[in-house]
Amino acid sequence: MTKIWDPETSAKPSTAASPAIVTQSRKAVLAFYFGMLGLFTADAILTLFRGAPIGVAVFLWLFRLLPLLIFLPGLRRNTLRTYAWLSFVVLMYFTHAVVTAFVPGELFYGLIYSFLCVGLFCALLVYIRMAKKHLGVNL
């Protein structure tokens, strides 16, 4: 069974810097995660303003959002396994972001999308590594 760990309520480790980096990296993960959700929502709204039918815009919005929303309960429970799986899924999003950046007229969107993917992946790696070190558990 996977242990669930809450950095605010767990016992303090021997070094004072470890919980701070764990807490900050978790906040960074959540910021980049919700940033990606916000980017996809803003793009769906812009798609509506460009004249796309509402059904198409909603379908594309859900198609982008649902794979990320699957991880939301695990992020709320703060399970390390969820963070690990999210890091794999973010790599697929990064591939799509790089391809999107090379589409004519989509450079700015693709760069923001790529930045959010890279930031989320790096924050996930830092969080997983520091939380594993602090907890002493395996995934």
Side-chain angles (χ1 to χ4, degrees), residues 33-110:
Y33 177 81
F34 287 114
M36 284 183 67
L37 296 181
L39 179 71
F40 295 148
T41 303
D43 187 53
I45 292 170
L46 287 175
T47 303
L48 283 174
F49 285 133
R50 291 182 192 140
I54 192 165
V56 172
V58 169
F59 174 77
L60 291 174
W61 178 65
L62 288 175
F63 187 74
R64 292 180 195 162
L65 236 60
L66 284 179
L68 285 177
L69 290 178
I70 291 170
F71 296 101
L72 191 58
L75 291 175
R76 291 187 67 211
R77 284 193 309 259
N78 203 12
T79 57
L80 284 180
R81 191 171 299 250
T82 301
Y83 288 89
W85 278 104
L86 181 59
S87 67
F88 295 128
V89 172
V90 167
L91 292 176
M92 291 187 289
Y93 277 97
F94 176 72
T95 304
H96 182 256
V98 170
V99 171
T100 302
F102 283 99
V103 172
E106 296 289 327
L107 177 65
F108 186 67
Y109 174 74

